């Protein structure tokens, strides 16, 4: 018995449901795949290898559950929202959204390292990115937790809450800014994240959960987000 070879010219149906494996009576059957792992189906019909992923940063609470929800408010700009325990962070352009600059005027070479930034307004536990420092370049491009803050100073800790020992760092000479990672408080605990349902239109997303009021998430700028109860009256 001769062997029959079928030519498949496109894969526009994508991966088909197992219940359709015998449906030779429908046209989509002939453009489908039993499995399409790590490939993307192009509109023109071809299939290409899925591109790799890029590491952006650690999530807010490593080891704890979190949820990523897309926020697409235009055809050219999108965000990714990271929901974790009682908070939300925003990502765009391959990085977390940061608040405005706080000018640094000094960093001690000590254990722990103490940063001077007049009227910084930070709270203990805030996460900040430091950049542009001359001299003590070991801190540039890294994120730290704020600890033991005063009006004009704060100590540096790593993500695990361990003090940063800068005794062996190069001496600070000048410059630098700190930028707080933007966060928005939410009512959703870790256990509730995957029961969230949402619907979005332009700059507004409505969020529902069986244990909370319906919430309205509104965006007016990269660091301007509000979460308010929906008043149905």
């Amino acid at each position: 018995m001769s062997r029959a070879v079928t030519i498949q010219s496109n894969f526009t149906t994508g991966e088909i449901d197992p219940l359709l494996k015998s449906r030779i009576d429908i046209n989509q059957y002939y453009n489908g795949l039993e499995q399409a792992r790590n490939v993307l189906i192009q509109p023109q019909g071809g299939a290409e290898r899925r591109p790799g992923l890029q590491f952006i940063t650690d999530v807010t609470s490593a080891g704890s559950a979190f949820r990523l929800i897309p926020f697409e408010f235009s055809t050219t700009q999108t965000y990714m929202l990271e929901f974790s325990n009682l908070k939300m962070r925003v990502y765009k352009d391959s990085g977390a959204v940061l608040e405005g600059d706080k000018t640094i005027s000094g960093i001690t070479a000590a254990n722990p390292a103490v940063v001077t930034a007049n009227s910084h307004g930070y709270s203990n536990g805030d996460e900040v990115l430091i950049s542009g420092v001359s001299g003590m370049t070991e801190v540039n491009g890294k994120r730290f937790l704020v600890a033991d803050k005063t009006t004009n100073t704060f100590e540096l800790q790593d993500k695990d809450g361990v003090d940063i020992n800068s005794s062996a760092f190069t001496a600070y000479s000048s410059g630098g800014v700190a930028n707080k990672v933007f966060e928005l408080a939410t009512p959703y605990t870790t256990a509730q994240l995957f029961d969230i349902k949402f619907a979005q239109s332009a700059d507004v997303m409505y969020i529902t959960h069986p244990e909370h009021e319906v919430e309205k998430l509104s965006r007016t700028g990269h660091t301007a987000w509000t979460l308010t109860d929906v008043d149905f009256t």
Side-chain angles (χ1 to χ4, degrees):
M1 182 176 177
S2 62
R3 181 179 179 181
V5 178
T6 301
I7 298 176
Q8 186 168 342
S9 61
N10 72 78
F11 308 97
T12 51
T13 300
E15 190 171 299
I16 62 174
D17 189 284
L19 296 177
L20 295 176
K21 286 185 178 180
S22 62
R23 293 298 307 274
I24 61 174
D25 59 318
I26 59 176
N27 293 330
Q28 288 86 347
Y29 175 85
Y30 298 98
N31 299 328
L33 294 163
E34 181 178 8
Q35 286 190 339
R37 297 290 184 264
N38 292 319
V39 297
L40 299 176
I41 307 301
Q42 299 175 334
Q44 297 85 356
E48 65 178 356
R49 186 189 300 272
R50 177 185 62 80
L53 302 177
Q54 178 183 2
F55 175 77
I56 301 302
T57 186
D58 293 324
V59 296
T60 306
S61 302
S64 298
F66 65 95
R67 184 173 178 185
L68 299 178
I69 294 178
F71 190 98
E72 302 176 9
F73 65 96
S74 78
T75 57
T76 58
Q77 289 186 298
T78 61
Y79 296 104
M80 183 62 72
L81 307 181
E82 176 202 321
F83 283 83
S84 58
N85 189 51
L86 303 178
K87 64 178 64 175
M88 182 195 86
R89 287 185 174 181
V90 182
Y91 294 85
K92 68 178 291 289
D93 298 335
S94 300
V97 170
L98 305 175
E99 296 184 4
D101 294 349
K102 298 296 182 180
T103 301
I104 294 173
S105 57
I107 305 177
T108 63
N111 186 15
V114 179
V115 177
T116 298
N118 291 339
S119 302
H120 54 73
Y122 296 151
S123 299
N124 291 336
D126 286 347
E127 188 169 339
V128 297
L129 173 71
I130 292 180
S131 61
V133 171
S134 296
M136 194 179 288
T137 56
E138 293 91 341
V139 299
N140 284 334
K142 297 180 180 178
R143 292 188 184 184
F144 303 95
L145 297 182
V146 171
D148 295 326
K149 62 93 179 178
T150 67
T151 301
N152 299 317
T153 66
F154 57 90
E155 296 178 3
L156 297 181
Q157 294 183 340
D158 64 18
K159 293 270 290 185
D160 296 320
V162 178
D163 289 341
I164 298 299
N165 184 354
S166 62
S167 300
F169 290 0
T170 308
Y172 172 88
S173 58
S174 64
V177 295
N179 298 93
K180 179 180 176 295
V181 177
F182 173 78
E183 290 183 341
L184 181 69
T186 78
Y188 309 113
T189 64
T190 300
Q192 297 171 339
L193 296 179
F194 291 94
D195 293 322
I196 290 175
K197 296 186 183 301
F198 57 91
Q200 182 195 345
S201 177
D203 285 321
V204 175
M205 174 181 284
Y206 290 93
I207 304 174
T208 65
H209 188 280
E211 298 181 26
H212 296 281
E213 298 286 342
V214 177
E215 299 289 335
K216 178 181 178 181
L217 178 65
S218 302
R219 168 210 169 273
T220 55
H222 297 321
T223 59
W225 299 74
T226 58
L227 190 65
T228 57
D229 293 345
V230 175
D231 186 358
F232 288 102
T233 60

